[in-house]
Amino acid sequence: MGFWTWFWVWVGLSVLALVVFGFIGKSLFNKLGAAGHQAQRLAQKAQVLADAMQNKPSLERPQDSILADPTAARARLIALQKSKVKKQQQRQRRLISSLKRFNPNESRFH
């Protein structure tokens, strides 16, 4: 192979390398543009949030419902405690009845 053959081979490889580098550069440019767009959207949202934090509305403390009617709240508490005790007693009765029916000769693992 002569000089001109190698010359054209290297010229072709150089052009191909430049084309590949161009595609890589274009891809990076597109990604940079997308990141810039997201940064712009984030800046807008951050500005809205900063404005909202500067203009905080004054909040009033809500009225306590327990202080309004303490007798109803106390009655509800007593009823809740009674229902808990009743559930515990029912569970205990179920456990005792299941233990009364226990058969040690019966097993799932035989």
Side-chain angles (χ1 to χ4, degrees):
M1 288 205 247
F3 169 78
W4 290 108
T5 306
W6 284 112
F7 176 78
W8 290 115
V9 167
W10 282 108
V11 167
L13 287 174
S14 300
V15 169
L16 184 64
L18 290 175
V19 168
V20 169
F21 285 140
F23 282 135
I24 291 172
K26 183 179 182 300
S27 173
L28 288 175
F29 181 74
N30 289 342
K31 288 180 183 182
L32 184 64
H37 175 70
Q38 292 299 325
Q40 184 181 15
R41 287 181 58 197
L42 180 65
Q44 290 172 352
K45 301 236 185 227
Q47 184 62 37
V48 169
L49 182 62
D51 292 341
M53 288 186 68
Q54 287 178 354
N55 301 328
K56 286 193 293 189
S58 62
L59 299 175
E60 296 178 11
R61 188 162 192 261
Q63 190 76 6
D64 288 337
S65 62
I66 294 177
L67 296 178
D69 191 11
T71 56
R74 182 72 180 156
R76 249 184 316 183
L77 178 65
I78 291 171
L80 199 67
Q81 289 172 343
K82 284 183 182 179
S83 70
K84 283 184 181 180
V85 168
K86 187 176 178 181
K87 284 181 184 179
Q88 287 174 348
Q89 289 173 347
Q90 287 175 350
R91 184 174 183 269
Q92 187 177 16
R93 275 190 239 114
R94 283 194 310 266
L95 180 62
I96 290 171
S97 68
S98 69
L99 287 175
K100 285 181 182 177
R101 293 186 308 247
F102 176 70
N103 184 2
N105 296 327
E106 179 182 307
S107 176
R108 296 185 291 182
F109 304 110
H110 278 89

